[in-house]
Amino acid sequence: MSEEPTPTQLHPAAWWLWSLSLGTAATRTTNPLLLALLITASAYVVATCRPTTPHAHPYSAFLKLALTVLLVRLLFATAFGSPLPGTHTLLTLPEVPLPHWAQGIRIGGRITAETLTFAFYDGLKLATLLICVGAANALASPTRLLKSLPGALYEMGVAVVVALTFAPNLIADVHRLRAARRLRGRPDKGLRGLLQVGLPVLEGALERSVALAAAMDARGYGRTAEVPAPVRRTTTALTLGGLLGVCAGTYGLLTAEGGAYGLPLLLAGLTAALTGLRLGGRRTPRTRYRPDRWDVRACLVAASGMAVAAALTLASAQDPTALHPGVIPLVAPALPLWPAAAVLLGLLPAFIAPSPKEPS
């Protein structure tokens, strides 16, 4: 049975806009205090608004993945060193001699506090981005998000949703098989336990994919309507031209010389791309049963995330030192007040979004 929206549920696109905006804000800073504040805000909203459906459970897996990324970044900085100079030596590892053609690469050697601090800042930024994406997966149902896509992106959306829903199923299968092995007194850890659990999980994933493909084919997925050739050519030209205009306009806005033509080109590209998507939807005629409504709460949730992204982008341009604390010389990061207050705007969904309910 597919998940049906109720009048109290929030539009899934609002959650994705909120989460991606927080992730965008995380890319604008390496200050660990601001990044920790972003993680705390997103985790509090997830704990408050996360539904009880199966797609919301793998949020802990994203937390573990983020921690793994951070540890791997520190491990690489320790093993391979960094060209970043430093004066505070923590330890010295045996250095492996390398040939002359491998100049610039070092294995082992002196490990400084500046190197590890820089690696920690860099890894924490990527970990925060992963946690924000995990929040979007926990708060927004992929199947409901698929219903909101335009017809031209429906086939691509089906592929993405299938990929997103397979991850929770795999994690649930692993937990189920490990619990079953523990009840039978068999090992579920180590290399032997991994092999004994991994093979049934892989077999179940293959069987599920074959059954899903047969069910989708029986329900008519992939069927397209006949569209005249001129309309197809116009759709392709508008979509490709619009995307090129968006790329050129974005590049113009990011450079000082292109500020005059960047915004008009970006708006023209967005208009052309949206028109092309509208025309492309004729190839996939479909109806929506009980579509999600974009209401005032969805606007406020999306706006709160975009306000955080805009505030940190502005702060990174006005005061880059506060948002990117230096490591040479090594100084303790300070918490900038008004960017930290702007991050707190990301907590707004916890107070205006509907509370989670048990699935019917």
Side-chain angles (χ1 to χ4, degrees), residues 93-331:
L93 299 176
E95 187 170 353
V96 178
L98 298 175
H100 67 280
W101 50 264
Q103 294 182 0
I105 303 176
R106 179 170 58 87
I107 301 178
R110 191 166 61 97
I111 307 301
T112 62
E114 290 82 357
T115 297
L116 291 182
T117 303
F118 178 78
F120 176 76
Y121 290 171
D122 194 36
L124 184 61
K125 179 171 68 173
L126 182 56
T128 306
L129 182 59
L130 289 174
I131 291 174
C132 292
V133 174
N137 282 276
L139 294 168
S141 171
T143 54
R144 289 177 51 221
L145 182 63
L146 176 63
K147 293 166 56 177
S148 305
L149 290 177
L153 301 178
Y154 187 67
E155 296 179 357
M156 184 186 303
V158 169
V160 173
V161 168
V162 169
L164 290 176
T165 53
F166 256 68
N169 291 330
L170 290 178
I171 295 174
D173 287 346
V174 170
H175 290 323
R176 177 175 54 83
L177 290 171
R178 292 184 62 183
R181 291 185 62 83
R182 285 195 297 268
L183 289 174
R184 292 179 175 89
R186 298 177 182 177
D188 62 318
K189 298 181 180 179
L191 181 59
R192 181 180 178 184
L194 179 63
L195 293 177
Q196 296 294 330
V197 172
L199 291 179
V201 168
L202 180 60
E203 181 182 359
L206 293 176
E207 292 179 354
R208 192 181 299 110
S209 63
V210 172
L212 179 61
M216 291 174 64
D217 184 69
R219 287 167 173 80
Y221 281 90
R223 308 297 194 271
T224 57
E226 290 294 333
V227 178
V231 176
R232 291 200 304 268
R233 289 193 290 266
T234 304
T235 301
T236 303
L238 286 174
T239 304
L240 293 180
L243 293 177
L244 290 176
V246 169
C247 295
T250 304
Y251 177 78
L253 291 177
L254 294 177
T255 58
E257 296 80 4
Y261 67 85
L263 184 59
L265 194 58
L266 177 61
L267 294 177
L270 284 174
T271 303
L274 292 176
T275 305
L277 291 176
R278 182 71 176 179
L279 292 176
R282 297 182 179 181
R283 296 185 64 250
T284 311
R286 62 191 181 94
T287 58
R288 292 183 176 93
Y289 175 66
R290 299 176 66 180
D292 292 293
R293 302 297 181 185
W294 187 276
D295 53 7
V296 177
R297 290 183 304 180
C299 293
L300 291 175
V301 168
S304 65
M306 289 187 286
V308 175
L312 264 68
T313 301
L314 181 62
S316 65
Q318 292 184 348
D319 192 6
T321 305
L323 268 70
H324 300 277
V327 294
I328 299 176
L330 191 61
V331 294

Side-chain angles (χ1 to χ4, degrees), residues 50 65-66 74 83 119 141 169 190 215 231 274 280 294 333 338 340 348 358-359:
R50 180 171 58 176
L65 178 61
L74 291 174
S141 171
N169 291 330
V231 176
L274 292 176
W294 187 276
W338 76 266
L348 184 61
E358 293 292 335

Side-chain angles (χ1 to χ4, degrees), residues 64-76:
K64 296 176 182 178
L65 178 61
L67 180 60
T68 302
V69 167
L70 180 59
L71 294 178
V72 168
R73 183 67 179 89
L74 291 174
L75 179 62
F76 268 73

